[in-house]
Each structure stands twice: as C-alpha cells, then as structure tokens.
Amino acid sequence: MSGRDTVVVTARGSSVVTLEQTGKNRGYRDKDVRGHCPVSHCCVDEAPEELCSVIDMRAVSKQLKEEAGMDVVYSRDAGRYLCDFAYYCSLYHGQGRAALIHIPTSGGLASADRLVPLLQTLIRTMLPADRPVGDMKSRSSSTVQQLQSQLPPGAIHAKDKYDV
C-alpha cells in the first residue's frame, strides 16, 4: 500500500449510516466467528491505543447534512469487534488513510437503490479531504482497471448496475 492510497471499509450492523473517525487497538476479548481472538487482545502489539483517519469524518458528516440533507452520523467508537479491528489495522498500515462506513442492514437505506448513491456521495465527499482527486469519470481507463485489479476475488462491482 503506498502512502497515497485510501482504503474504504464498509461494515454491516448499524441502523443508520455511521462514519467512524477512530480505530482502537486494545480491548478485543470476544472471539470471531471462527473462534479466534488475539492473545494480547490488541490489533497491533506495541502500537498506539487509538488511530484517527486523516479524513475529518465530523466535517464530512456535517457537510452532507447541510448540503445534501443526508442523515449521516459521526462516531469515535466503532466497537471492539471485527469492524473496529479491521479499521484499526487499515489505519495502522495505511498511515491514517482509511475510512470505516457502517451501513444499515434494515430500514429504508438498506436497499441498494438508496444505499449505493449515498455511498457514492460519501466517498466523493471524503476523497478531497485526503487528496485532490477528480471525478471517477476523468480517470484514465488504465487507472480504473488498475484499481479494479486490486479488489479481492468475488468483489461486487457496483459499476455493473450503477454509474460509479
């Protein structure tokens, strides 16, 4: 991962769209679905207790509420489970260039027709806070292909149904 990459992690489990600012390193005591839990109860041994995204999630949340009327919640505690663990590791290895967006699994925003455009707006709003990036359409096709090649096998491409 280069110093200019932004990793966006979406995690299910919330009833509203929540932007997480901070990842926590310690306090992981629950086992995951495979029965694993770090022996040290930490994401990364001898690393800082908290790491924050370089993206100002509070400002993004406020901007989306004021300019687009979107109900997006700002948070500094993603919980001490898989979401927070993955977020802390992304922040640590990405030098703060990461974002965690908790997305709803039920309610009106849970449908792809409503959620995908909201996520598109969120991501486009976040990117300028991290680095100057033009609209995705202005990127060369080779850059888009390079980005797509970095997705894990089986990743869902929203581009198939939506104009990303």
Side-chain angles (χ1 to χ4, degrees), residues 104-126:
T105 55
S106 62
L109 283 178
S111 72
D113 290 337
R114 294 201 56 209
L115 190 58
V116 170
L118 184 133
L119 289 173
Q120 288 174 324
T121 302
L122 271 171
I123 292 166
R124 286 184 180 133
T125 303
M126 286 179 188

Side-chain angles (χ1 to χ4, degrees), residues 22-24 28 77-88 100:
T22 308
K24 307 286 192 307
Y28 297 93
D77 189 355
R80 297 295 195 292
Y81 197 54
L82 297 176
C83 300
D84 201 10
F85 189 93
Y87 189 38
Y88 185 90
L100 174 60

